[in-house]
Amino acid sequence: MSTETSEKQPAAERLRGWFTGRMPSDWLDGTLEVKLDREEITVILPIPAPETAEGASAAEQAAAWEGRSRRFREDTRQQRIEIAHEAEHTFGRKVSWGVRSGERVVMYTTFSVPVMTRLRQNERMVLDTLVEAGVARSRSDALAWCVRLVGEHEDSWLADLRTALQHVEQVRGEGPRSS
């Protein structure tokens, strides 16, 4: 028995290899990062940080990084589009792009995918409160805000949960052994 979840890690590794093989070597300053789900492949390219003056302020460093990431985006646009078209045809998922240098990440493209959910009145009231307070523009926006908040504050718990799920899927995929 094989499921998409049990294949997710090897699939991410295969995709990382596939994308690495298609990137011009001068683009990468390290190993690229690939994330995937049912609809989207996210590729985050490591690029060199811009050199700034010694003792540069945080504002100067942020401006230099923004300039570097924008220049990289423009310089690589056509080739990234070609690679994305090939990947979308090959893997049946949309491709989004971003760049990373150290802890700084800039996403160029991302996809918002509609997700259906059923909520009880108390849960809808939470979303309505966020809308009425101006935290979100709509219930959909409020729900996305809640998911981002949980993701930010429970990152290590979610990572542990994903690891446990991978182990469960691996064991499930092996199935009972016959003697």
Side-chain angles (χ1 to χ4, degrees), residues 16 39 72 99-100 113 145 148 150 171:
R16 186 173 54 236
E39 295 85 17
F72 185 87
V99 291
R100 167 182 42 82
V113 177
W145 182 86
R148 277 191 304 274
V150 168
V171 171

Side-chain angles (χ1 to χ4, degrees), residues 5 13 17 26-27 31 37 59 77 88 95 102 116 120 122 125 127 133-134 145 174 178:
T5 306
E13 292 170 4
D26 62 329
W27 283 15
T31 304
D37 65 11
R77 182 184 308 270
E88 289 169 6
V95 176
M116 177 67 84
R120 297 194 180 338
N122 286 342
M125 290 173 68
L127 299 180
W145 182 86
E174 293 171 359
S178 58

Side-chain angles (χ1 to χ4, degrees), residues 19 40-43 83-84 87-88 93-97 109 111:
F19 279 97
E40 179 180 10
I41 301 168
T42 300
V43 180
I83 293 167
E88 289 169 6
R93 294 177 171 123
K94 293 291 188 182
V95 176
S96 61
W97 296 96
T109 53
F111 296 95

